[in-house]
Amino acid sequence: MGKKHRNLIGLITAPENLRAAYRLAARGKRMTPSYLEFKEFAEVHLGELAEELATGAYRPAPPRTFTVFEPKRRQIEALSFRDRVAQHALVGVIGPIFEATFLPRTFACRPGLGVHAGVRVLQSDMRRMGEPLYALKTDFSKYFHSIDRAVLHGLIRKKITCRATLALVDAITPSDGKGIPIGSLTSQLYANLYGAQVDQYLQLDRGVKMWVRYMDDIVVLDRDPARLRALSADMAALAWDRLGLRFSKWSVQPISRGVNFLGYRIWPTHKLLRRQSVARARRVIRHLSGRGDHERLGRFLAAWLGHARWADSHNLLRSLNLEYADVAAQYPR
């Protein structure tokens, strides 16, 4: 089980940790009303927040909820700036504790890793193993909304025994019921911790070496498709029995067809953007161009072009008539 961590609340409420949390929470939020209100008396607000966190009086405000439809319909919960600071303060202390337990082949929301690191490792594995080679691709159904919070809190308590910290964890994410909100910093950490149980099963219990995970998307490579199909059944049973998760879909395909992962279709020799990603980008560009919303168009293009240029996309970008590149250059990521 490893080391258990006690007396963490003093680290969470330490002035230097709260100031760092304040700076992190402010990224991209400096024009929001809740940030501007907090900033006016920041030291006073940080002091009050520290006291509430230390005494157990802290309770988050009801989040603002909204729905996004790209790449699929999802409900997002937007926190107040004060609650963002509280979550950064908590994750700044407990995040490294759990990060140290994660295996190196999971890439979501981790320092120095991310989408492109995951894609590079998968493609490198494909090249190393050669063909014939098959890929098992799995995806959990409604992952964030299916997380059993009682199971999640059990995993947290395996590493943390500080009562005040656990009370804060419970105030932000109650231990009863199912689901954690998309869009919260704590949710990113907790979803990684939850999925890490599958990582450990694959690598430590089953001895699988060629696998990658990004949140709920998992790819496993093997030369034997029958072995992958059997592994899929075992993973599904493990995920349901321990975590209450079900696969929304899974497949075993030869890598000659390309592997869909993180917005790319990947072969050992090259990678392309997925057709859905290109179609979605065209829709957004047409919509924002038609509205004359150059600022949102520029920010979208800056992010999307950064993603597209990691693929073999020269002809695609030419086909999009990217005089838009000049617009994107005004809004660096």
Side-chain angles (χ1 to χ4, degrees):
M1 292 178 61
K3 179 182 178 181
K4 293 198 173 187
H5 296 262
R6 303 173 177 84
N7 304 320
L8 297 177
I9 197 67
L11 299 175
I12 294 168
T13 59
E16 59 272 20
N17 186 54
L18 283 171
R19 290 193 189 100
Y22 170 62
R23 291 192 295 271
L24 290 169
R27 291 180 179 175
K29 302 293 179 180
R30 295 184 184 276
M31 297 306 294
T32 61
S34 59
Y35 165 74
L36 295 173
E37 181 181 349
F38 195 98
K39 177 188 176 184
E40 188 171 3
F41 300 103
E43 287 300 319
V44 173
H45 290 312
L46 289 174
E48 292 173 347
L49 181 59
E51 183 175 358
E52 289 184 21
L53 296 175
T55 61
Y58 170 78
R59 294 294 182 273
R64 178 175 62 89
T65 61
F66 59 95
T67 301
V68 298
F69 297 91
E70 297 285 358
K72 58 186 177 181
R73 190 178 191 274
R74 296 180 299 167
Q75 182 172 290
I76 306 296
E77 294 191 4
L79 302 177
S80 71
F81 183 77
R82 187 175 192 268
D83 291 331
R84 285 172 55 84
V85 174
Q87 290 204 11
H88 274 285
L90 173 63
V91 172
V93 173
I94 71 170
I97 293 171
F98 294 112
E99 171 67 28
T101 70
F102 296 157
L103 295 172
R105 284 179 164 265
T106 184
F107 294 90
C109 307
R110 299 185 66 190
L113 298 177
V115 168
H116 299 125
V119 169
R120 285 196 306 271
V121 168
L122 176 58
Q123 189 175 51
S124 175
D125 288 346
M126 294 164 73
R127 289 170 175 166
R128 186 180 306 118
M129 295 185 73
E131 295 193 56
L133 184 65
Y134 296 83
L136 165 64
K137 177 76 166 58
T138 70
D139 190 353
F140 290 115
S141 176
K142 299 179 180 177
Y143 181 57
F144 278 72
H145 295 297
S146 299
I147 287 176
D148 187 319
R149 295 200 294 264
V151 174
L152 172 64
H153 277 255
L155 296 173
I156 293 170
R157 281 162 169 75
K158 286 183 178 180
K159 297 298 292 182
I160 295 173
T161 58
C162 173
R163 290 185 179 180
T165 299
L166 292 174
L168 174 57
V169 167
D170 194 63
I172 294 173
T173 309
S175 59
D176 59 315
K178 284 195 172 185
I180 57 177
I182 298 173
S184 293
L185 184 67
T186 51
S187 292
Q188 295 175 6
L189 175 63
Y190 297 159
N192 250 349
L193 174 61
Y194 211 72
Q197 310 316 299
V198 181
D199 302 344
Q200 291 168 12
Y201 172 74
L202 285 173
Q203 185 160 317
L204 304 181
D205 296 347
R206 297 296 297 268
V208 176
K209 295 181 179 179
M210 298 301 181
W211 63 273
V212 291
R213 179 174 70 87
Y214 192 97
M215 208 54 81
D216 61 321
D217 289 343
I218 303 172
V219 177
V220 183
L221 301 177
D222 198 300
R223 294 187 176 88
D224 185 346
R227 191 157 50 214
L228 287 177
R229 285 190 284 270
L231 178 63
S232 174
D234 292 343
M235 288 171 62
L238 174 281
W240 176 248
D241 292 343
R242 291 192 194 176
L243 305 172
L245 298 176
R246 294 185 185 277
F247 287 152
S248 59
K249 53 184 179 290
W250 67 273
S251 65
V252 174
Q253 302 284 350
I255 65 165
S256 58
R257 297 184 183 180
V259 178
N260 282 329
F261 188 56
L262 301 181
Y264 301 98
R265 196 167 186 89
I266 306 166
W267 288 265
T269 54
H270 64 289
K271 54 185 176 289
L272 302 176
L273 290 174
R274 295 183 65 187
R275 290 180 181 177
Q276 297 95 318
S277 174
V278 176
R280 189 160 54 243
R282 291 182 187 275
R283 286 198 304 270
V284 174
I285 290 170
R286 281 197 305 268
H287 175 68
L288 295 178
S289 299
R291 291 177 53 184
D293 192 340
H294 296 295
E295 180 173 352
R296 286 185 63 192
L297 175 62
R299 295 193 185 283
F300 169 79
L301 284 168
W304 189 79
L305 288 173
H307 174 73
R309 284 169 176 153
W310 281 82
D312 297 272
S313 57
H314 178 72
N315 291 335
L316 166 67
L317 297 182
R318 288 182 61 189
S319 76
L320 287 175
N321 189 24
L322 282 178
E323 72 265 9
Y324 298 123
D326 295 332
V327 179
Q330 300 176 40
Y331 300 96
R333 299 175 66 193

